[in-house]
Amino acid sequence: MVNVLFDHNMPPVIPRALDLLVRPFGHQAIPLRDKFPVDIEDIDYFTALGKERDWVVISKDVANAKRKPEREAIIRSGVLTFYLSPKVGKQSITQQAATILWQWDKICDQRARLANGLFLLPEGKGSKFRTL
């Protein structure tokens, strides 16, 4: 089972819609605001997720992957983090959801194989994740 948390910079409608598709397969997709207070700091929620298992975070905040404190918290937590490529981040909500859905199985495979990591979620369904 993979739990996917969508950061505050992602429209909550995306995880709520995806959850309907993936929950029958034992996964869940939820907006950050449904699990934590809206004012929680990134480091705090990564630390909290690290105490649980099998978490993935999807975000548009690629700069977060470059900030040392946040990056260290992500690596320490054991959470896999996928950032939408800037091109995907500018697409419509439906196109963003479609891209995530195209990549869903690969996201789950990455979660099963890796202890942690930060990746760029590509636009095309055949594209590979780029490590950040």
Side-chain angles (χ1 to χ4, degrees):
M1 179 169 127
V2 176
N3 302 303
V4 181
L5 187 78
F6 286 72
D7 197 4
H8 285 313
N9 53 34
M10 297 291 299
V13 69
I14 293 176
R16 291 183 180 134
L18 290 175
D19 191 62
L20 295 172
L21 295 169
V22 302
R23 194 167 287 268
F25 301 99
H27 308 296
Q28 71 172 333
I30 58 172
L32 178 65
R33 69 189 77 228
D34 288 0
K35 184 163 179 66
F36 296 107
V38 293
D39 60 347
I40 192 167
E41 297 291 327
D42 290 347
I43 292 171
D44 295 332
Y45 85 74
F46 278 107
T47 301
L49 292 176
K51 295 175 184 173
E52 301 177 31
R53 302 236 348 122
D54 299 323
W55 278 99
V56 169
V57 169
I58 295 180
S59 176
K60 289 183 188 178
D61 187 8
V62 179
N64 195 24
K66 298 174 184 170
R67 288 190 291 269
K68 188 175 179 180
E70 285 86 348
R71 185 177 181 83
E72 288 175 355
I74 293 166
I75 299 295
R76 232 183 1 261
S77 71
V79 172
L80 253 68
T81 307
F82 291 89
Y83 297 94
L84 272 59
S85 71
K87 189 171 184 179
V88 174
K90 292 177 184 171
Q91 293 176 337
S92 69
I93 289 174
T94 55
Q95 290 172 318
Q96 289 175 31
T99 298
I100 294 164
L101 191 56
W102 274 118
Q103 300 291 343
W104 189 268
D105 290 338
K106 291 195 301 189
I107 290 169
C108 292
D109 289 344
Q110 286 283 87
R111 176 67 276 181
R113 291 186 302 107
L114 300 175
N116 58 30
L118 297 92
F119 303 94
L120 192 64
L121 194 70
E123 180 182 6
K125 63 181 177 181
S127 304
K128 297 186 182 216
F129 301 135
R130 194 179 96 215
T131 302
L132 297 174

